[in-house]
Amino acid sequence: MKKPIIEILLSSEKRKKVLLLLQDGPREMETLLRSLDTTRTALLPQLKILKESHLISQCGDTYESTTIGKLIVEDMISFLRTADVFGENCDYLGTHYIDFIPAYLLKKLPEIGSSKVINIDIPDIFSRDRGLFEKAVRSKYWMEATSILYPAFHEFYAEMLEHEIDISIIMTRDVYEKAKNDYYEHFKEIIDIKLISLYLYPENMEFASFIVTDECISFRLLTQEGAFDNKKMHICGPTASKWGKELFEYYRKRSRLIIDV
């Protein structure tokens, strides 16, 4: 009795790697052996199972994916990317709220790059991310949506402007009111110089903050209980910035431009 396709795909690392290798085109046996760092004796039984399931075909010493195999592997690649992204940081993503990301962008999340969860030292919880600042200096823009007001926000943004960084910030009403009431002069100065685009988001944000630069996205998520903690997640990759801009634009469209205090 043949094994179900799902078992063939997931129960053997060698079979999975063979299918992924053949997705790019036919491969000779020697190429497969080198790529998989295995022996002919070990690989032949796995190839036999794949052939019997009509996922690959053989011509002499060359193997290639069948049409069925290619279609199945395309979906498998998407599944594996999703499993990698959510699996490697399952403890963080599983205990933090991510439903603020629109469904169409959430589906794209596995495609945008590698992610890393970072513990923030307690003294630095209300300090700016200097590493991300250096990335912004190189990229020349900083997009931020935040429900947190950092005490030294004025000095931080002033330093950015010295580097001619294009800054756009979306803030909640609570952040706006705190900045206006507790830091009026500094806040008014930022608005008056009109070198920073400030937006007011009318509803509660279900996250602490997210920041987009040309190289990375940085998230500070809320826990499932709605609490802040000392963790953040960075996602870096060639398409991370494009995805992050889409997320920022989603919230910007639902905000209004702040033109005075």
Side-chain angles (χ1 to χ4, degrees):
M1 181 178 177
K2 288 184 180 179
K3 296 181 179 180
I5 292 291
I6 190 69
E7 183 178 340
I8 290 169
L9 294 175
L10 300 180
S11 64
S12 166
E13 194 67 20
K14 277 194 177 68
R15 289 197 293 268
K16 183 176 73 176
K17 288 180 178 178
V18 166
L19 290 170
L20 292 172
L21 285 169
L22 296 183
Q23 193 72 354
D24 294 327
R27 295 287 187 272
E28 293 183 350
M29 171 63 85
E30 288 303 318
T31 302
L32 293 174
L33 294 176
R34 286 196 302 272
S35 298
L36 300 173
D37 191 23
T38 189
T39 65
R40 184 180 291 262
T41 301
L43 187 57
L44 279 173
Q46 308 308 328
L47 295 175
K48 182 174 183 291
I49 291 172
L50 293 173
K51 285 193 297 180
E52 289 176 346
S53 300
H54 309 291
L55 297 177
I56 67 171
S57 61
Q58 179 183 6
C59 181
D61 211 33
T62 300
Y63 297 83
E64 65 178 316
S65 291
T66 63
T67 300
I68 294 173
K70 288 177 181 177
L71 290 171
I72 289 174
V73 173
E74 282 180 6
D75 287 338
M76 183 178 78
I77 291 171
S78 176
F79 165 77
L80 291 173
R81 283 175 179 163
T82 303
D84 284 344
V85 168
F86 290 101
E88 66 183 347
N89 294 310
C90 189
D91 286 343
Y92 181 68
L93 293 172
T95 56
H96 289 72
Y97 190 80
I98 60 173
D99 288 358
F100 69 89
I101 302 173
Y104 71 96
L105 287 176
L106 197 56
K107 288 181 180 179
K108 294 181 182 179
L109 188 58
E111 303 171 11
I112 68 173
S114 60
S115 59
K116 182 179 182 182
V117 175
I118 302 167
N119 288 320
I120 306 169
D121 292 336
I122 298 300
D124 296 328
I125 284 181
F126 294 105
S127 299
R128 284 299 189 174
D129 188 324
R130 300 305 299 184
L132 204 61
F133 172 78
E134 295 303 323
K135 289 179 169 58
V137 169
R138 292 196 295 269
S139 72
K140 294 301 181 183
Y141 68 82
W142 177 280
M143 297 178 176
E144 177 179 2
T146 184
S147 59
I148 302 171
L149 182 66
Y150 293 92
F153 72 94
H154 177 265
E155 291 84 353
F156 184 77
Y157 294 136
E159 185 179 355
M160 278 192 168
L161 291 174
E162 290 177 5
H163 290 276
E164 299 182 348
I165 296 172
D166 184 14
I167 306 170
S168 297
I169 303 165
I170 302 170
M171 59 180 62
T172 60
R173 181 163 294 280
D174 284 347
V175 170
Y176 171 81
E177 293 295 338
K178 185 171 180 58
K180 183 176 71 171
N181 294 330
D182 296 355
Y183 305 92
Y184 179 82
E185 293 300 329
H186 286 157
F187 190 47
K188 187 175 187 304
E189 181 182 354
I190 286 176
I191 293 174
D192 288 348
I193 61 175
K194 301 196 184 303
L195 295 176
I196 299 177
S197 299
L198 292 175
Y199 300 89
L200 178 63
Y201 186 70
E203 303 172 22
N204 290 330
M205 288 181 179
E206 297 174 307
F207 54 88
S209 67
F210 72 81
I211 297 164
V212 185
T213 71
D214 188 48
E215 299 178 32
C216 288
I217 307 165
S218 178
F219 285 108
R220 289 194 63 183
L221 304 178
L222 299 178
T223 68
Q224 291 285 2
E225 294 73 33
F228 295 93
D229 63 11
N230 67 323
K231 297 180 184 297
K232 60 186 175 183
M233 184 172 72
H234 284 186
I235 304 177
C236 300
T239 58
S241 179
K242 181 177 182 295
W243 185 92
K245 285 180 178 179
E246 287 188 65
L247 180 59
F248 183 86
E249 185 65 12
Y250 174 87
Y251 281 91
R252 189 196 66 78
K253 286 180 177 178
R254 290 157 176 78
S255 305
R256 70 168 177 84
L257 184 66
I258 300 171
I259 56 176
D260 54 34
V261 180

